[in-house]
Amino acid sequence: MKKIFDKDTWQEIFGSIQKNRTRTVITMIGVLWGIFIYIALAGSSKGLDNGFERAFQSIASNSIFVWGSYTELPYAGFKAQRPIQLKLGDAEILKKRVKGIKFIAPRNVTGVFGTVGGNIVRGNKTGTYSIYGEFPEYIKIATSKIYDGGRFINDKDIIEERKVCVIGERTQLELFEDDENPIGKFISINKINFRVIGVHKFVQGGGFGDDGDIYIPFATFKRIFNTGDRVNFFMIAADENIDGIQVEKDIKATLKQIHKVDPDDERAIAGFNLGEIFRKTMNFASGLTFLSLIVGIATILAGVIGIGNILLISVKERTKEIGIRRALGATPSEVRSQIILESVFLTVLSGLIGIILGALVLYGINAATEDMTDFPYTNPTVPIPYVLGALFLMIVLGTLIGVIPAQKAVSIKPIEALREE
């Protein structure tokens, strides 16, 4: 430890670097490039990871969506190309028959069953927005937030078919004054007055809704738009500790039984498994992080080996100098620590420069993508433990690679070194 803080030690290190300046800088670039690649790739993959998390934060990551389509195969006396219409009663059957369903929310939206977009009026302000018929379970699956002072649709709203609604942020901005609290106020939906009970906060990048969407009780939607027991689609959340893929298969198989569809018909019941998509995207981001680690370590190792070679050459060129030091009383441990310290210094210095350059690149990427909402990418950063781990790796590799030239220096006999020309 005393050797580290010795002024003469550092003078010798810098003197050695000065003698082989160009060669040393070129060799340091190997380590610098390796840590730069690691920081840049690991940070970029973290930005992708953050982007996917942001894209899915407005909805449970284990969600499953299913809806009726057209049959592909004839079955039980029915012809192919038969439309499959989901019913409200299907939800109760699915709850009873399919293991692993945590929540299920039947949903309807304007634009299907012959309905049109809601024409919304408030005073002299008008707008057209999507109207959704909802059950209270929806808010347990979609994690959209309701602003303080408001609430979402509850069971009593469904039972009493209340004319209440939850509006979006954009709806509030376009229909209400800036300082006006919309809670308790009325808006006209297709010439029917609805009382506003909440404002839902739209999550940028969520991709599963719009900041103008308006939610009303499912029963009220059914009566106003005359949809009967028809359901546009089911939004389902599976239990966290169960295979979401199997749950999806069981749901589709059960719906095929209910609606008399051939079990091998892959088109009649459509849908997608958000949990599977989420898992694949997270695995991709993790794979990219792992790849950055492998590429970075391999490049760093190559650079560190280059530093070891430089030090071997340096030891050869300083043979006489080392012999004089040994003749004047320098111990083998002092010579060894001198060479190892030089190796660690060059390695860590290269690593620090690489980290700084990598951080600057990530800063530039973040500045260029921070306003991007149509692509899942945000805040590319490298966790501090990763950076500290990289620095620790620099020290370990620098020490190990310095042992070889250090041992070479120690093996030099003073008498033979003094004869070196």
Side-chain angles (χ1 to χ4, degrees), residues 53-224:
E53 288 185 358
R54 183 186 67 177
F56 292 117
Q57 69 180 332
S58 64
I59 194 167
S61 60
N62 57 342
S63 300
I64 301 168
F65 295 75
V66 291
W67 60 87
S69 183
Y70 289 86
T71 59
E72 188 175 31
L73 304 172
Y75 185 74
F78 294 100
K79 295 181 179 181
Q81 301 303 315
R82 174 170 56 100
I84 300 300
Q85 177 59 65
L86 301 182
K87 300 289 186 179
L88 189 58
D90 296 346
E92 291 301 321
I93 297 175
L94 288 174
K95 285 181 184 178
K96 293 177 181 178
R97 294 189 188 178
V98 179
K99 181 182 178 181
I101 292 180
K102 187 174 184 180
F103 302 112
I104 181 168
R107 301 188 76 195
N108 280 337
V109 60
T110 51
V112 296
F113 313 135
T115 61
V116 295
N119 183 31
I120 315 302
V121 178
R122 184 172 189 276
N124 60 353
K125 297 182 178 181
T126 62
T128 301
Y129 309 93
S130 294
I131 311 297
Y132 284 84
E134 302 288 8
F135 278 90
E137 284 78 10
Y138 169 76
I139 200 68
K140 298 175 183 178
I141 303 172
T143 55
S144 300
K145 295 182 179 179
I146 304 298
Y147 280 109
D148 292 341
R151 66 173 178 85
F152 194 67
I153 293 161
N154 60 31
D155 291 326
K156 201 167 184 180
D157 296 328
I158 301 292
I159 295 170
E160 298 181 2
E161 298 182 3
R162 290 175 174 175
K163 297 181 180 68
V164 295
C165 65
V166 178
I167 64 175
E169 292 176 307
R170 178 164 59 86
T171 314
Q172 177 185 359
L173 290 173
E174 293 176 356
L175 298 182
F176 292 85
E177 301 299 330
D178 292 342
D179 58 348
E180 185 178 10
N181 184 359
I183 306 300
K185 304 297 191 332
F186 287 85
I187 61 174
S188 174
I189 301 178
N190 292 1
K191 299 182 180 180
I192 300 174
N193 288 330
F194 279 74
R195 182 166 58 87
V196 178
I197 59 173
V199 178
H200 65 85
K201 179 178 177 59
F202 178 69
V203 180
Q204 287 291 338
F208 293 96
D210 185 85
D211 53 0
D213 292 342
I214 297 177
Y215 306 139
I216 67 175
F218 189 95
T220 308
F221 185 102
K222 179 174 69 172
R223 183 157 58 88
I224 291 175

Side-chain angles (χ1 to χ4, degrees), residues 142-335:
T143 55
S144 300
K145 295 182 179 179
I146 304 298
Y147 280 109
D148 292 341
R151 66 173 178 85
F152 194 67
I153 293 161
N154 60 31
D155 291 326
K156 201 167 184 180
D157 296 328
I158 301 292
I159 295 170
E160 298 181 2
E161 298 182 3
R162 290 175 174 175
K163 297 181 180 68
V164 295
C165 65
V166 178
I167 64 175
E169 292 176 307
R170 178 164 59 86
T171 314
Q172 177 185 359
L173 290 173
E174 293 176 356
L175 298 182
F176 292 85
E177 301 299 330
D178 292 342
D179 58 348
E180 185 178 10
N181 184 359
I183 306 300
K185 304 297 191 332
F186 287 85
I187 61 174
S188 174
I189 301 178
N190 292 1
K191 299 182 180 180
I192 300 174
N193 288 330
F194 279 74
R195 182 166 58 87
V196 178
I197 59 173
V199 178
H200 65 85
K201 179 178 177 59
F202 178 69
V203 180
Q204 287 291 338
F208 293 96
D210 185 85
D211 53 0
D213 292 342
I214 297 177
Y215 306 139
I216 67 175
F218 189 95
T220 308
F221 185 102
K222 179 174 69 172
R223 183 157 58 88
I224 291 175
F225 294 103
N226 193 30
T227 58
D229 287 336
R230 291 173 292 177
V231 173
N232 186 203
F233 63 96
F234 288 120
M235 192 170 172
I236 301 165
D239 287 324
E240 287 80 2
N241 300 321
I242 201 163
D243 184 2
I245 297 177
Q246 187 59 49
V247 173
E248 180 188 14
K249 290 179 180 178
D250 293 342
I251 289 170
K252 289 184 176 181
T254 302
L255 289 174
K256 288 177 183 179
Q257 292 175 5
I258 296 171
H259 295 278
K260 294 181 171 45
V261 175
D262 190 312
D264 296 325
D265 195 322
E266 298 295 332
R267 196 178 67 178
I269 305 298
F272 64 90
N273 191 326
L274 189 63
E276 178 63 12
I277 297 172
F278 184 77
R279 182 161 51 251
K280 287 181 178 179
T281 54
M282 290 299 100
N283 288 341
F284 174 75
S286 299
L288 188 58
T289 301
F290 181 74
L291 177 63
S292 69
L293 180 63
I294 296 300
V295 173
I297 289 178
T299 311
I300 290 169
L301 186 58
V304 169
I305 291 174
I307 288 177
N309 290 332
I310 285 293
L311 290 177
L312 280 172
I313 296 172
S314 176
V315 167
K316 177 65 177 175
E317 293 175 346
R318 294 157 60 191
T319 299
K320 188 171 184 178
E321 172 193 332
I322 293 172
I324 294 173
R325 291 184 59 196
R326 293 290 305 278
L328 292 176
T331 63
S333 62
E334 289 177 336
V335 175

Side-chain angles (χ1 to χ4, degrees), residues 9-52:
T9 298
W10 289 103
Q11 285 180 342
E12 291 178 17
I13 289 175
F14 289 125
S16 175
I17 293 173
Q18 285 289 335
K19 292 177 183 178
N20 307 283
R21 185 184 307 171
T22 303
R23 191 168 58 196
T24 302
V25 170
I26 292 173
T27 306
M28 286 175 60
I29 289 175
V31 177
L32 183 155
W33 184 246
I35 196 69
F36 170 79
I37 289 176
Y38 170 69
I39 295 296
L41 287 180
S44 297
S45 63
K46 183 62 177 177
L48 193 62
D49 192 8
N50 292 338
F52 282 128

Side-chain angles (χ1 to χ4, degrees), residues 319-392:
T319 299
K320 188 171 184 178
E321 172 193 332
I322 293 172
I324 294 173
R325 291 184 59 196
R326 293 290 305 278
L328 292 176
T331 63
S333 62
E334 289 177 336
V335 175
R336 185 183 296 111
S337 61
Q338 169 79 29
I339 303 300
I340 292 176
L341 185 58
E342 185 174 339
S343 173
V344 172
F345 172 73
L346 291 175
T347 306
V348 173
L349 178 62
S350 304
L352 287 173
I353 296 174
I355 290 172
I356 293 172
L357 291 178
L360 290 175
V361 168
L362 293 180
Y363 178 81
I365 294 174
N366 184 54
T369 60
E370 61 182 353
D371 296 326
M372 187 183 297
T373 58
D374 56 349
F375 183 75
Y377 195 91
T378 184
N379 192 25
T381 55
V382 180
I384 295 299
Y386 285 28
V387 178
L388 295 178
L391 285 175
F392 178 75

